[in-house]
Amino acid sequence: MTMIKPFTKYCLLLVSLLLLMSCSSASIEDYDKTTPVLDLQTFFDGELTASGIVQDYSGTVTRKFTVTMEASWQGNKGVINEWFIYDDGEKQTRIWQITDLGNGQYQGTANDILGIAEGEARGSALRWAYDMNLVVDDSEYEVHFDDWMFLVDENTIINKSDIIKFGITVAEVTLVIQKVN
């Protein structure tokens, strides 16, 4: 009987795991018929607040934060101002410039986003994909965000983001966004 070398066995296991993971990924089409229907111009209009956490690759919470937001639209162009305050005292500002392309398609830019963020909304969900320069402990990393938003009700969105480097999820962000009445 032939023995499989340990390195070959490891490679086969790794390839199998990658194939399995690629088959189980959610698709925006999975949310076609879900309700309530998410319309960015309706939800992101006026004042909003958010609270969130960052988890590392092992699931350990590494940061907590709050966000104050102001959003407005002129036709199909939106601006979302975000002011972050982290539990360690760090403050950040992000200003999104969003374009509603119609048919649930969106594009966006912001100061720390590389290139153009691409988004698609179906039913109660929106999926954003973008690259970002992320500063961690005085170092800057170029990472990819796989960003999902789910409209829970007319006043609440749950946002879950995978932060990906070299094809591997290195952190996750979970955020609850609420409209201020």
Side-chain angles (χ1 to χ4, degrees):
M1 220 181 263
T2 328
M3 300 245 334
I4 299 176
K5 294 182 180 180
F7 179 74
T8 305
K9 189 186 242 184
Y10 173 78
C11 287
L12 288 171
L13 178 63
L14 184 61
V15 168
S16 298
L17 285 173
L18 289 173
L19 287 172
L20 180 63
M21 287 173 26
S22 68
C23 294
S24 64
S25 180
S27 167
I28 192 66
E29 289 82 11
D30 295 339
Y31 300 95
D32 272 339
K33 297 186 182 354
T34 60
T35 59
V37 173
L38 174 57
D39 176 65
L40 286 191
Q41 290 191 38
T42 301
F43 187 85
F44 288 98
D45 184 32
E47 294 181 35
L48 303 108
T49 61
S51 298
I53 58 171
V54 179
Q55 295 171 274
D56 67 13
Y57 64 92
S58 71
T60 301
V61 174
T62 58
R63 294 186 97 179
K64 299 173 190 173
F65 61 95
T66 59
V67 189
T68 303
M69 299 179 203
E70 288 180 4
S72 62
W73 292 82
Q74 294 292 323
N76 70 332
K77 303 281 186 190
V79 176
I80 304 172
N81 294 296
E82 301 177 325
W83 296 277
F84 294 79
I85 300 176
Y86 292 88
D87 59 348
D88 62 4
E90 180 185 353
K91 295 180 180 181
Q92 286 180 335
T93 299
R94 179 172 300 120
I95 301 171
W96 282 99
Q97 304 288 330
I98 309 289
T99 303
D100 182 342
L101 302 172
N103 296 318
Q105 303 293 315
Y106 296 90
Q107 288 186 334
T109 60
N111 50 318
D112 53 355
I113 303 302
L114 302 172
I116 297 174
E118 301 282 340
E120 183 175 0
R122 299 273 185 105
S124 61
L126 170 80
R127 186 176 194 180
W128 275 115
Y130 53 91
D131 296 324
M132 173 189 236
N133 280 327
L134 186 64
V135 177
V136 178
D137 298 329
D138 298 325
S139 296
E140 192 170 291
Y141 301 92
E142 185 175 321
V143 295
H144 179 75
F145 272 71
D146 184 14
D147 197 352
W148 286 86
M149 292 184 189
F150 300 97
L151 184 64
V152 176
D153 59 41
E154 65 183 25
N155 294 312
T156 310
I157 281 181
I158 296 177
N159 187 176
K160 182 192 172 299
S161 302
D162 288 339
I163 303 174
I164 301 163
K165 182 75 176 168
F166 302 123
I168 298 168
T169 299
V170 295
E172 292 181 358
V173 178
T174 305
L175 182 68
V176 177
I177 305 168
Q178 295 192 300
K179 293 178 73 93
V180 176
N181 293 328

